[in-house]
Structures are given as C-alpha cells and as structure tokens.
Amino acid sequence: MKNVNLQSVKAAAEGVAAVAVLVAVLTIVGEMWFPLKDLLTNVFMHHWLGKSALSIAVFGVVYQMRKGEYARTDTTARSIYLAVILSFLATAALIVFFVLHSLGIV
Amino acid sequence: MTPLLSTALATHIILGVAAIGLTYFAFMQLLRSTPAIGWALTLTTWSTVLFFISWGSSAYYYVAYYGKAVKPVIKAGEYPWAHAVFMEGKEHVFLFLPFMALTLTLGLAFLRRNQNSQLQKALAVLAGTLVILATFVAVAGIVVSGAAR
C-alpha cells in the first residue's frame, strides 16, 4: 500500500459515515414500511444481503466521488471523527429501535 | 447443520474474534507517543481481510440456515429478545465494521510515511471505536448462541 494519500483516507472515512447512516435508515425504515424490506428481498434474495450489497456500493461510490477532493490533515481527522460519531449514533439508533420494536412500542 | 454450514459459522466466529484482537493491538500501538506504525499497519491489514472473510462466511450461514432453523427456535423459546434485539442489532452494526477497518488501514498506510500526531489521534479513536463496536457484535453473538440452545 505504497501510495495512499490523504484524500483516500478522508474519502474512506466519509464512506464509512455514509454506510453507517445508510444501514440505520434502511433498517429502521424497512421495519416500519414493509415494501422497502420486500423490495430488498425481491432484488437480492434476502433483505440483509441487499443491505450488504448497498453498503458496499455506497462506500464505493462515496469513496470514488470524494477521493479527488483536496484534503488537509485537520479536515481528514474531522472526517474520521464524523465516521466515528455516526457509527456510534447509528448503533444506538438501531439498538434503541429494536428494543422498542420488540416491546411493541414502535 | 451440514459440515459446510458448521465451517462457515466457525470461520465467522474465529476470524471475527481474531480481527478484533488484531485491531486492539493496533489501537494500543496508536496510543503510544512513538508507535510502531509499520507493525500496526500489518495488524490492521490482516484485520481488514479477516473482517471481510468473516462477513462472507456469516452471510452464507445466515441466509442458508439461521433464518429457517435457528431464528424460529429462539423466537419460540424463553429469550425471543435474543433475536429481536441482539441478532438484529449485531447483523446490522457489523455492516460498517469492515469499512472502518479498511479506513484505519488506509490511514496507517499514509501515517507510515507522513507522521502526524493529529491524524494519529483520530486513527486511535477510530481503532478504539472499531474494537468497541466489534466486541458488542461478538458478545451479541454469544447471547444469540445461548438463546438457541
């Protein structure tokens, strides 16, 4: 991995942030609105395979789109922190949702 | 469960736990004032590979077997919340872990040639986050396994 530049690192971090948001939104909306979950199942054979495929696609697209953007150390660090915060928020949202869902509240 | 399914499940567990361990050691390096970046990069490169393989093997087990054979048992048993909360949580949180590992690896590859304390700190936070979330996924897997028995 000889020629990794700062733009690649920043783009990858932004890709992580996008995937975290995508997974949380797809999952919660899919549980509340069955046509979305059914669509994922019909296209990808299983809803989780659909989310896996879309995660890979979104990461790839965001990375490709953003890797040409100018990056500094501080903006790259900020993108990494954004990925971290969104990963935690997505995890919390998913857990809270599934607890409420299992209790029949949502 | 067929031998292939058993192998897929075991591969998912063993490689996933190994990936967590490798990431943890890389995290500990990043906390040092003079980290061995080359060593940390080797660790995270392997953890990235292991996370992706673990993803693949779990996908086969989950789609081919879990939904039909394990999930109904858990939902009908004493601990239905093991699937409703822990399995659902784990299967979705896992989806961003391999990309976090990949980002960490790219960051370390850059850091090896361009030492920078600000970037090192951010990567340490990323590594620590990956360890925490991956450990949650692993513990959730233990809860699910226990509920299935």
Side-chain angles (χ1 to χ4, degrees):
Chain A
M1 226 175 295
K2 289 188 177 172
N3 298 317
V4 175
N5 55 29
L6 210 49
Q7 289 95 315
S8 295
V9 180
K10 185 169 180 289
E14 290 165 353
V16 170
V19 169
V21 171
L22 171 80
V23 169
V25 169
L26 269 184
T27 303
I28 294 171
V29 172
E31 293 294 332
M32 307 283 279
W33 190 52
F34 290 135
L36 175 59
K37 198 171 180 179
D38 291 343
L39 177 65
L40 289 171
T41 305
N42 292 336
V43 174
F44 296 100
M45 195 176 80
H46 192 286
H47 68 93
W48 185 78
L49 287 180
K51 290 168 196 166
S52 295
L54 289 175
S55 297
I56 293 169
V58 162
F59 181 85
V61 166
V62 170
Y63 178 79
Q64 279 299 122
M65 283 174 54
R66 300 292 294 172
K67 71 175 186 177
E69 295 283 319
Y70 174 71
R72 296 192 314 262
T73 311
D74 60 334
T75 59
T76 302
R78 215 174 300 148
S79 292
I80 293 172
Y81 289 128
L82 177 67
V84 166
I85 290 168
L86 288 177
S87 295
F88 273 123
L89 285 177
T91 301
L94 287 165
I95 300 303
V96 167
F97 173 77
F98 283 123
V99 168
L100 296 177
H101 195 55
S102 70
L103 293 172
I105 296 173
V106 293
Chain B
M1 202 189 311
T2 65
L4 181 58
L5 283 165
S6 299
T7 304
L9 180 60
T11 300
H12 164 62
I13 294 168
I14 291 168
L15 296 193
V17 171
I20 296 171
L22 294 175
T23 307
Y24 174 76
F25 287 121
F27 169 59
M28 295 307 288
Q29 275 300 320
L30 284 165
L31 293 179
R32 298 175 134 207
S33 54
T34 51
I37 296 294
W39 172 234
L41 176 58
T42 301
L43 293 171
T44 61
T45 301
W46 277 107
S47 79
T48 302
V49 170
L50 296 185
F51 271 122
F52 276 100
I53 297 174
S54 179
W55 189 357
S57 66
S58 71
Y60 173 65
Y61 172 83
Y62 184 64
V63 173
Y65 185 74
Y66 176 87
K68 288 179 289 196
V70 182
K71 176 178 162 182
V73 171
I74 296 174
K75 291 185 89 168
E78 294 179 61
Y79 315 106
W81 45 261
H83 171 81
V85 177
F86 287 93
M87 187 65 201
E88 293 282 3
K90 129 184 187 56
E91 77 186 57
H92 292 105
V93 171
F94 183 87
L95 292 177
F96 30 99
L97 303 188
F99 303 109
M100 293 175 79
L102 178 59
T103 301
L104 182 59
T105 301
L106 290 173
L108 284 166
F110 176 83
L111 204 63
R112 184 171 58 168
R113 297 183 188 278
N114 307 273
Q115 288 182 10
N116 180 279
S117 60
Q118 187 179 25
L119 188 61
Q120 179 183 332
K121 184 180 170 188
L123 291 174
V125 171
L126 179 62
T129 301
L130 179 52
V131 169
I132 290 169
L133 294 182
T135 301
F136 159 74
V137 168
V139 169
I142 294 171
V143 171
V144 172
S145 294
R149 290 187 189 275

